Amino acid sequence: EISDMLGATFGAETEKASYRTSSYGSPFSTARVRTTSIYGQLTVKPVTGLSLTGGLRHDDHDTFGGRTTFAANGLFTPNGGRTILRASFGQGFKTPTLFQLYSDYGNTRLNPESSESWDAGLTQHLLDGRIEAGVTWFERKTRNQIIYVPCSAPLTGICAGRPSGTYDNVARSKAQGLEFTLALRPVDALRMQAAYSYIDAQNELTGKNLPRRPKHSVNLAADYDWAFGLKTGFTVTHVGPSFDNASNSRKLDGYVLVDLRAAYPVTKNVELFARIENLFDEQYETAYRYGTARRAGYVGVRLAL
């Protein structure tokens, strides 16, 4: 009985990373880094329907030193899972990658990121699970957030000698937002899902929006299983406009993508599938002048052994 109320996890790990690059025919340069981590997690279930989890993690980076972070979350259901209340809090620590430090776009003066975030939400199941609705609010504050900085003439300040851009720290940033989800299953063969996200991410010192972070996004999907074995579905994704740079002087337009998919089992172990991505051949950018895939079609066979 006690084992059902308590659970603990402990561990340690070591991660090694290396990076090797050459710029325009010059000799190769190599960089290596090692991170050693230990972590522990404890879960308690003091009463029926309530689960509480807390954990500690210590990361020791051989360049940026050590940092201990804490995370906790709780979940409560008063009616056997039909209604779920949840909340969490977490601290983060992220060191710059070797690419962000030493590549042609790199900045060896980067500092590691640190963050604190929390969220709270509610999920409600109705009609024996055929309807599932959820809402979540979150906030995150970050120090020294690492972002990509596009550069254009005149190349001054951090852009000096970096015509293709570089990486920099945002001293203080804040992101907050709201997410709604809805899943419907009116009949066993039909599944429909919808999600809407609002995210407001800003540089707290300048009041500008963080680059390449759209405020609004919507995702709709539906799948239907036909009686004779065919499975069909579609996904519609809308992403709102955003800014490409920290000064908010260059805008990225929003876009809508439509994908189709189908699969048919030929035998128990063989399935034919096909899909079309970006059905209406939308031209869009997630970063200024970076190409994205146009309409594409795929056909294949899946084997289950």
Side-chain angles (χ1 to χ4, degrees):
E1 183 177 347
I2 294 179
S3 63
D4 293 334
M5 298 174 59
L6 292 173
T9 302
F10 302 94
E13 58 189 34
T14 298
E15 179 182 353
K16 298 180 181 179
S18 62
Y19 179 75
R20 190 167 184 253
T21 183
S22 176
S23 179
Y24 308 109
S26 61
F28 281 98
S29 60
T30 302
R32 294 184 175 85
V33 71
R34 176 186 301 202
T35 304
T36 302
S37 306
I38 57 174
Y39 57 88
Q41 178 176 288
L42 179 65
T43 299
V44 296
K45 299 179 180 179
V47 296
T48 301
L50 177 62
S51 177
L52 302 173
T53 300
L56 289 173
R57 180 184 180 95
H58 181 80
D59 296 294
D60 186 16
H61 192 280
D62 61 9
T63 301
F64 294 101
R67 183 71 62 88
T68 300
T69 53
F70 168 76
N73 65 74
L75 181 150
F76 177 65
T77 173
N79 49 20
R82 294 189 300 276
T83 303
I84 299 174
L85 302 169
R86 60 189 184 280
S88 68
F89 170 83
Q91 297 175 319
F93 175 64
K94 179 181 179 295
T95 59
T97 66
L98 294 178
F99 182 85
Q100 292 170 339
L101 290 168
Y102 301 115
S103 70
D104 292 337
Y105 309 91
N107 178 2
T108 56
R109 297 183 178 180
L110 288 175
N111 293 312
E113 294 181 4
S114 61
S115 64
E116 289 189 353
S117 62
W118 69 269
D119 65 74
L122 166 69
T123 299
Q124 181 67 53
H125 297 87
L126 302 169
L127 300 180
D128 294 327
R130 291 195 177 274
I131 299 177
E132 179 183 308
V135 60
T136 301
W137 174 266
F138 72 89
E139 291 188 5
R140 181 178 66 250
K141 291 187 176 182
T142 306
R143 289 187 177 274
N144 295 319
Q145 184 168 355
I146 300 171
I147 65 169
Y148 176 75
V149 180
C151 293
S152 58
L155 299 176
T156 59
I158 195 173
C159 286
R162 294 282 193 268
S164 300
T166 186
Y167 291 91
D168 196 13
N169 290 114
V170 175
R172 294 202 312 270
S173 65
K174 180 180 179 180
Q176 57 185 359
L178 190 66
E179 183 177 76
F180 293 98
T181 60
L182 178 65
L184 304 175
R185 193 159 188 164
V187 295
D188 290 342
L190 177 62
R191 301 174 301 281
M192 297 182 290
Q193 296 177 324
Y196 165 75
S197 295
Y198 168 78
I199 301 175
D200 181 22
Q202 293 186 352
N203 182 326
E204 287 197 294
L205 298 184
T206 65
K208 301 289 187 180
N209 293 331
L210 293 180
R212 302 175 185 174
R213 287 161 175 81
K215 284 193 174 184
H216 305 278
S217 62
V218 179
N219 184 270
L220 303 173
D223 289 274
Y224 189 81
D225 298 341
W226 299 85
F228 57 92
L230 178 66
K231 300 178 181 179
T232 56
F234 71 87
T235 300
V236 179
T237 302
H238 167 68
V239 177
S242 62
F243 292 102
D244 184 65
N245 52 6
S247 63
N248 292 181
S249 61
R250 186 162 57 223
K251 190 175 182 180
L252 297 173
D253 292 333
Y255 55 89
V256 177
L257 302 177
V258 178
D259 301 333
L260 302 179
R261 54 188 171 272
Y264 183 75
V266 180
T267 68
K268 181 180 178 180
N269 299 321
V270 179
E271 181 182 68
L272 301 178
F273 71 89
R275 70 179 186 273
I276 300 176
E277 297 179 354
N278 195 0
L279 175 66
F280 297 108
D281 204 22
E282 179 87 351
Q283 299 184 49
Y284 65 101
E285 294 176 316
T286 58
Y288 182 64
R289 290 184 175 176
Y290 274 62
T292 50
R294 303 286 293 272
R295 182 191 298 119
Y298 303 86
V299 177
V301 180
R302 296 189 182 98
L303 301 177
L305 304 178

